[in-house]
Amino acid sequence: MRVSFPENPAFWLVLSALNGLLAVAMGAFGAHGFDGKPDYLADAFNVGVQYHMWHALALIAVAWASDRFPHVLVCLAGISFTIGIVLFSGTLYVFGTTATLPAAGAAPLGGVSLMIGWLLLATGVWRGRKPPVP
C-alpha cells in the first residue's frame, strides 16, 4: 500500500489560510474572553495563538517549497507543523479556557513536532534543490 502525501502547493496554501483564520479568531477571543480570570490563563492561551499564527505562516513556506523544491520531507514538514499546531496550541487553548490540561505531555510533544517540522523543511529544501547547470 502506497502512502500518499499532499504535494500540491494549493493544499498547503488553503491549510495555511484556514489556520491563519483560526489563529486570528482565537486571538480575538484571547483579547476579550478572559475578563475576571487569572492572567496566567490568558497568557498561556495567547502563547498558543502566537505559535499558531507563526506556524500558519510556516505552512506558506511549505506551499512554496513543495513547488520549488519538491521532496517528500517538505510535505512531512507540513504534516509535522499541523500536528504541532493541534497539540501545542490546542493544549494551550484548552488550558487557557478550562485551567486543566487535556493530556499530559501533549504541549511538549507538539513543541517537538513544530521543531521537527522546521528541520524537515530545511532538509527537504536542501534535498529537493536542483543541481547547478554546468
Side-chain angles (χ1 to χ4, degrees):
M1 180 165 107
R2 182 176 178 272
V3 176
S4 178
F5 292 101
E7 298 169 357
N8 187 330
F11 171 83
W12 296 112
L13 285 174
V14 169
L15 187 62
S16 173
L18 294 174
N19 272 283
L21 169 71
L22 186 57
V24 170
M26 297 306 271
F29 176 80
H32 303 290
F34 286 92
D35 295 336
K37 291 188 177 180
D39 286 345
Y40 74 92
L41 294 176
D43 292 344
F45 189 92
N46 287 318
V47 167
V49 171
Q50 290 173 10
Y51 277 79
H52 191 168
M53 182 55 81
W54 280 112
H55 289 88
L57 296 173
L59 289 170
I60 293 173
V62 170
W64 174 78
S66 69
D67 186 50
R68 179 79 171 82
F69 306 101
H71 195 279
V72 69
L73 293 180
V74 173
C75 293
L76 288 174
I79 292 167
S80 188
F81 286 145
T82 304
I83 291 168
I85 289 168
V86 170
L87 292 177
F88 185 79
S89 294
T91 296
L92 292 177
Y93 293 153
V94 171
F95 176 70
T97 56
T98 67
T100 60
L101 290 173
L109 186 60
V112 169
S113 183
L114 295 173
M115 290 185 279
I116 289 170
W118 287 108
L119 182 60
L120 288 169
L121 182 59
T123 306
V125 166
W126 185 258
R127 290 187 178 176
R129 74 192 189 287
K130 293 174 179 52
V133 177

